[in-house]
Amino acid sequence: MGQPSHARTPDQWWRSAVIHQVYVRSFADGDGDGTGDLAGVRARLPYLAELGVDALWFTPWYLSPLKDGGYDVADYRAIDPAFGTLAEAEKLIAEARELGIRTIVDVVPNHVSDQHVWFRQALAGGPERALFHFRPGRGARGELPPNGWRSQFGGPAWTRVADGDWYLHLFAPEQPDLNWAHPAVRREHEDILRFWFERGVAGVRIDSAALLVKDPRLPDFTEGRDPHPYVDRDELHDIYRAWRAIADEYGGVFVGEVWLPDAERFARYLRPDELHTAFNFSFMTCPWEATRLRTSIDETLAEHAPVGAPATWVLCNHDVTRTVTRYGRDDTAFDFATKAFGTPTDLALGTRRARAAALLSLALPGSVYLYQGEELGLPEAEIPVERIQDPMHFRSGGADPGRDGCRVPLPWAAEEPYAGFGSRAEPWLPQPAGWSSYAVDRQARDPGSMLTLYREAIRIRPVFGDGPLTWLPTPDGVLAFTRAEGVLCVVNLADTPADLPAHTELLLGSAPLDADGRLPKDTAVWLRA
Ligand code: GLC
């Protein structure tokens, strides 16, 4: 059994860290070619230090044809030349550490790029075929895929190759799935972990962590029949126990991308000899409603408690609709299935709620993930169809707008070309009109900006201490809790202003109180009791 979820010792920084997610391609363009890069990140490290974050999670920066934004890795031991070099990555890790910021890299064990040497050799008929899932097709001439599995991006999960066999890809055809029953696949990934831990990274995010293992018979999926042929298979836990032993050698930590509705199954990944943490997608997809949020928080804390793992709090990432946009819509939940072009959005309302949500999530016990641009209150952009790059859009037959709308290059300086993202070439995704109004340089000078709120909140956050969460009695629609150190967080999601509990000091508010000193709708405050 691990420590209680609120415990924090210096080597357990990850139990209460604020972790900033860097989508390198869209962060800052150091060489001016239109694509973000490591030089851009290195130049902006002081910004990240001033924001006060404890760690950076880099989405994949490895050699890649970028068919899925880098989640199609051709070589784990090389940096994509569009982003820089391995030597630069090493410098970046060291420079960040000097500023007190740790680095988390992203590994993608479920699949590789079709340009990875293993897959090229497999296509050439080599023994590497056994490292993937190649099968003959069904039908008289093998013209039908081996089973009916669907890609997570839409369409069949199988593609046929020249000699007539089919290979499995749970994502795009350019992302063939690895065969985790093969010992060479396990050995290779254990070596990749060591490679990055040796280079000083403090943690690893595990992409699609619950999908690696397939039922070797590759049976069709039957609704309601357990176990699922490829989601959350029991064999996964052996893999992660072996990984944990490696992480422990280096003092490294894991965060798993584990999308599972079943809280008990989810918590198995967080047992003391497996992953340290996993993303909280229940909270991330939760609508802006008091009872639903409270239930999500309670369930999160309850599912983590027995395994002693800290919770994580996530409002958005590079796959989902940006927070200010989502909260400004009729349906404030997130669901991939309901994404659509042209959804009406009240950005002022969404921003107001996102400010309150920032104070809510930063007050909860556990670690917080902040996706680049969230601290600027960037909205989801509607990308002109001819500029969309995300395979999710294409494989949906054009119905799904895809995920590019949350990946638009950041605005750094309002008066500079491309809002200061880069200097020479147009950014790889277009920045919408008005993007410079969100620029870092403007917000840094504005006491009412989202950036100022985040900076203040991250600076003040330690006042909540290590205490567990205790709910206080409140009227319907209001959430209030304390964390044992006499500090309260109160959030009003009701339609009318709420009276505040007794307090001696207002530490921070997402919006001003009303003339009667009451907490307006869609507002959060931190109070000293
Ligand atoms: C994860 C990533 C997503 C990627 C997918 C396939 O869900 O977050 O961006 O497309 O895995 O690697």
Side-chain angles (χ1 to χ4, degrees), residues 68 71 108 111 153 171 175 205 207-208 257 318-319 403 407:
D68 180 22
Y71 284 95
V108 190
H111 44 267
F153 292 160
F171 293 92
Q175 294 167 294
R205 177 218 185 234
D207 186 74
S208 306
E257 189 201 15
H318 65 294
D319 291 329
R403 300 164 296 177
R407 300 173 176 179

Coordinates of all heavy atoms in Angstrom, one line a residue, residues 68 71 108 111 153 171 175 205 207-208 257 318-319 403 407, ligand 1:
D68 N 0.0 11.4 -37.6 CA -0.9 11.6 -36.5 C -0.1 12.5 -35.5 O 0.0 12.1 -34.3 CB -1.3 10.2 -35.9 CG -2.3 10.4 -34.7 OD1 -2.9 11.5 -34.6 OD2 -2.3 9.5 -33.9
Y71 N 2.4 10.8 -33.1 CA 2.0 9.6 -32.5 C 2.2 8.4 -33.5 O 1.6 7.3 -33.3 CB 0.6 9.6 -31.9 CG 0.5 10.4 -30.7 CD1 0.2 11.8 -30.7 CD2 0.8 9.9 -29.4 CE1 0.2 12.5 -29.5 CE2 0.8 10.6 -28.3 CZ 0.5 11.9 -28.3 OH 0.5 12.7 -27.2
V108 N 4.7 5.6 -27.1 CA 3.5 5.2 -27.8 C 3.6 3.7 -28.1 O 4.0 3.3 -29.2 CB 3.4 6.0 -29.1 CG1 2.0 5.7 -29.8 CG2 3.6 7.5 -28.9
H111 N 1.6 1.1 -31.1 CA 1.9 1.1 -32.5 C 3.1 1.9 -32.8 O 3.7 2.6 -32.0 CB 0.7 1.7 -33.3 CG 0.2 2.9 -32.7 ND1 -0.9 3.0 -31.8 CD2 0.5 4.2 -32.8 CE1 -1.1 4.2 -31.4 NE2 -0.3 5.0 -32.0
F153 N -10.2 5.9 -35.3 CA -10.3 7.1 -36.1 C -11.4 6.9 -37.2 O -11.6 7.7 -38.1 CB -9.0 7.5 -36.8 CG -7.9 7.9 -35.9 CD1 -6.6 7.9 -36.3 CD2 -8.2 8.5 -34.6 CE1 -5.6 8.4 -35.5 CE2 -7.2 8.9 -33.8 CZ -5.9 8.9 -34.3
F171 N -5.5 2.6 -35.0 CA -5.6 4.0 -35.3 C -5.5 4.2 -36.9 O -6.1 3.4 -37.6 CB -4.6 4.9 -34.5 CG -4.9 4.8 -33.0 CD1 -4.3 3.9 -32.2 CD2 -5.8 5.7 -32.5 CE1 -4.7 3.8 -30.8 CE2 -6.1 5.7 -31.1 CZ -5.6 4.8 -30.3
Q175 N -0.2 3.6 -38.8 CA 0.2 3.3 -37.4 C -0.1 1.8 -37.1 O -1.0 1.5 -36.3 CB -0.6 4.2 -36.4 CG -0.3 5.7 -36.5 CD -1.3 6.5 -35.8 OE1 -2.5 6.6 -36.2 NE2 -0.9 7.2 -34.7
R205 N 4.8 9.5 -20.1 CA 3.4 9.3 -20.4 C 3.2 8.1 -21.3 O 4.0 8.0 -22.3 CB 2.8 10.6 -21.0 CG 1.3 10.4 -21.4 CD 1.0 11.1 -22.7 NE -0.4 11.1 -23.1 CZ -0.9 10.6 -24.2 NH1 -0.1 10.1 -25.1 NH2 -2.2 10.6 -24.5
D207 N 1.0 6.3 -23.9 CA -0.1 6.5 -24.9 C -0.9 5.3 -25.0 O -0.4 4.1 -25.1 CB 0.5 6.9 -26.3 CG -0.5 7.3 -27.3 OD1 -1.1 8.4 -27.2 OD2 -0.8 6.4 -28.2
S208 N -2.2 5.4 -25.1 CA -3.2 4.3 -25.3 C -2.8 3.1 -24.5 O -2.8 2.0 -24.9 CB -3.1 3.9 -26.8 OG -3.4 5.0 -27.6
E257 N -2.3 6.9 -20.2 CA -3.5 7.3 -20.8 C -4.5 6.1 -20.8 O -4.4 5.2 -21.7 CB -3.2 7.8 -22.3 CG -4.5 8.4 -22.9 CD -4.5 8.4 -24.4 OE1 -3.7 7.7 -25.1 OE2 -5.4 9.1 -25.0
H318 N -4.5 17.8 -26.0 CA -4.4 18.0 -27.5 C -5.4 17.2 -28.3 O -5.4 17.2 -29.5 CB -3.0 17.6 -27.9 CG -2.7 16.1 -27.7 ND1 -2.7 15.5 -26.4 CD2 -2.6 15.1 -28.5 CE1 -2.5 14.2 -26.5 NE2 -2.4 14.0 -27.8
D319 N -6.3 16.4 -27.6 CA -7.2 15.6 -28.3 C -8.7 16.1 -28.2 O -9.6 15.6 -28.9 CB -7.2 14.1 -27.8 CG -6.0 13.4 -28.1 OD1 -5.4 13.6 -29.2 OD2 -5.6 12.5 -27.3
R403 N -9.0 17.2 -34.5 CA -8.5 17.8 -33.3 C -7.5 18.9 -33.5 O -6.9 19.4 -32.6 CB -7.7 16.6 -32.5 CG -8.6 15.5 -32.2 CD -7.9 14.2 -31.8 NE -7.1 13.7 -32.9 CZ -6.3 12.7 -32.9 NH1 -6.1 12.0 -31.8 NH2 -5.6 12.3 -34.0
R407 N -5.0 22.7 -31.5 CA -3.5 22.6 -31.7 C -2.9 23.8 -32.5 O -1.8 23.7 -33.0 CB -3.2 21.3 -32.5 CG -3.7 20.0 -31.8 CD -3.6 18.8 -32.6 NE -4.0 17.6 -31.9 CZ -4.0 16.4 -32.3 NH1 -3.7 16.2 -33.6 NH2 -4.4 15.4 -31.6
Ligands
GLC1 C1 -3.6 9.0 -27.9 C2 -3.1 10.4 -28.3 C3 -3.7 10.8 -29.6 C4 -3.3 9.8 -30.6 C5 -3.6 8.4 -30.3 C6 -2.9 7.4 -31.1 O1 -5.0 9.0 -27.7 O2 -3.4 11.3 -27.2 O3 -3.3 12.1 -29.9 O4 -3.9 10.1 -31.9 O5 -3.3 8.1 -28.9 O6 -1.5 7.3 -30.8

